Amino acid sequence: MILVLAGTSDARELALGIRAAGYTVLTTVVTESAAKSMESEGLPVLTGRLTADDMNQLIQDKGLRVVVDATHPFAEEASKNAMAAAMLAAVPYVRFERQSLSIEQGALITTVDDYKQAAELAAEKRGSIMLTTGSKTLKIFADRLIGIPDTRLITRMLPRQDNMEKCEELGIEQKNIVAMQGPFSKELNKALYDHYKVTLMITKESGKVGAVDEKIEAALEMGIPSIVIGRPELEYGTLYSDFQGVIQFVNDSIHKEG
């Protein structure tokens, strides 16, 4: 049985590809929505965050033979836990990561290394700021941007109860919350930018599957500056940006065992 750390649409497709290659697959996700996506394809799924020890125990209990880490490009903690668990359990680890977009620096696009840098730069620029980086790091931006003069923080995130509760705790008013599930077309992005009179857009480099290009192209066409947060840099070891590379790695690992 192969463990696939999933949660995104491309991770689901990879899990299906591994199953089609003749392997039994177990997927893990964080949210109920992602779990339903796996279940709809008949993929066995466990829901909830796993520590390295949790994952190690799962590998031992289920006799899992390879760990395929297909988590989101910004799920840094999950990847670290997966690598640690694979090492503890002495099973092969392989990383699938969707290809990066080539984003050129320019007058309207600034790339930064992390969320804190993005928040600091946004505080310098001020204005009507649309944040499209999700709820996980919302506090970094709320702490830095809410309450400073001439600044409105609009947050775009999944329409989940815990997200709405987090917004309330951080002092983000309902009128500044866009609770919708993407991906968003360029036209819808432009409509939202226009509706909120956006003067600055913040996103992260999640790749084409994450519809980052639609966000940026919409902003560029409207003359709106964008701050793009670069991916965390981790030493994954074996990494592929195509499904076939991962499946071949799984084949080689299983045959090496045999």
Side-chain angles (χ1 to χ4, degrees):
M1 185 180 283
I2 311 301
L3 178 64
V4 180
L5 279 71
T8 62
S9 58
D10 44 356
R12 183 189 64 223
E13 295 308 312
L14 174 57
L16 290 171
I18 295 170
R19 186 174 70 180
Y23 298 101
T24 307
V25 173
L26 174 64
T27 65
T28 67
V29 299
V30 174
T31 67
E32 292 294 338
S33 174
K36 287 177 182 175
S37 174
M38 299 297 157
E39 289 167 352
S40 70
E41 296 289 350
L43 291 165
V45 61
L46 295 176
T47 309
R49 297 187 188 280
L50 297 174
T51 66
D53 288 337
D54 292 337
M55 214 177 299
N56 176 37
Q57 192 62 53
L58 180 64
I59 293 167
Q60 307 290 349
D61 291 346
K62 299 286 188 182
L64 300 167
R65 301 169 73 183
V66 181
V67 174
V68 178
D69 175 10
T71 54
H72 191 277
F74 282 80
E76 189 174 359
E77 200 61 34
S79 290
K80 287 178 180 177
N81 287 339
M83 286 187 276
M87 187 173 291
L88 285 168
V91 298
Y93 165 94
V94 61
R95 169 68 169 163
F96 167 78
E97 188 164 291
R98 63 183 65 153
Q99 286 188 326
S100 295
L101 284 176
S102 179
I103 299 173
E104 291 185 16
Q105 296 284 319
L108 290 175
I109 298 176
T110 306
T111 301
V112 296
D113 293 332
D114 55 36
Y115 298 98
K116 189 174 180 182
Q117 280 187 24
E120 288 299 331
L121 183 56
E124 290 176 21
K125 293 180 178 290
R126 306 195 181 190
S128 184
I129 301 165
M130 179 164 281
L131 182 65
T132 68
T133 57
S135 62
K136 192 175 177 183
T137 56
L138 180 57
K139 189 176 190 305
I140 295 171
F141 294 95
D143 287 352
R144 186 67 186 89
L145 298 171
I146 291 178
I148 64 174
D150 306 317
T151 302
R152 179 188 184 190
L153 180 63
I154 302 113
T155 62
R156 196 169 88 183
M157 61 187 63
L158 291 171
R160 287 172 25 191
Q161 183 177 338
D162 57 336
N163 286 348
M164 300 307 101
E165 289 170 351
K166 180 179 283 190
C167 286
E168 187 175 1
E169 288 168 11
L170 294 172
I172 297 170
E173 297 178 68
Q174 289 183 15
K175 65 181 180 180
N176 293 331
I177 301 170
V178 181
M180 299 173 69
Q181 181 158 358
F184 298 82
S185 66
K186 182 171 69 173
E187 290 71 25
L188 182 50
N189 277 305
K190 290 175 77 170
L192 288 170
Y193 298 161
D194 181 60
H195 178 76
Y196 287 96
K197 303 296 182 265
V198 172
T199 61
L200 177 68
M201 191 272 292
I202 304 174
T203 189
K204 52 190 181 186
E205 203 286 275
S206 301
K208 190 168 182 64
V209 176
V212 176
D213 47 351
E214 281 88 350
K215 297 180 195 176
I216 294 173
E217 285 173 18
L220 284 172
E221 287 185 14
M222 296 178 71
I224 298 168
S226 298
I227 298 173
V228 182
I229 301 163
R231 295 185 184 184
E233 293 185 9
L234 291 181
E235 290 295 329
Y236 292 109
T238 307
L239 181 149
Y240 295 97
S241 293
D242 64 287
F243 293 169
Q244 194 51 49
V246 175
I247 293 168
Q248 188 60 53
F249 177 90
V250 170
N251 283 333
D252 293 345
S253 299
I254 298 299
H255 291 152
K256 194 179 291 184
E257 281 182 20

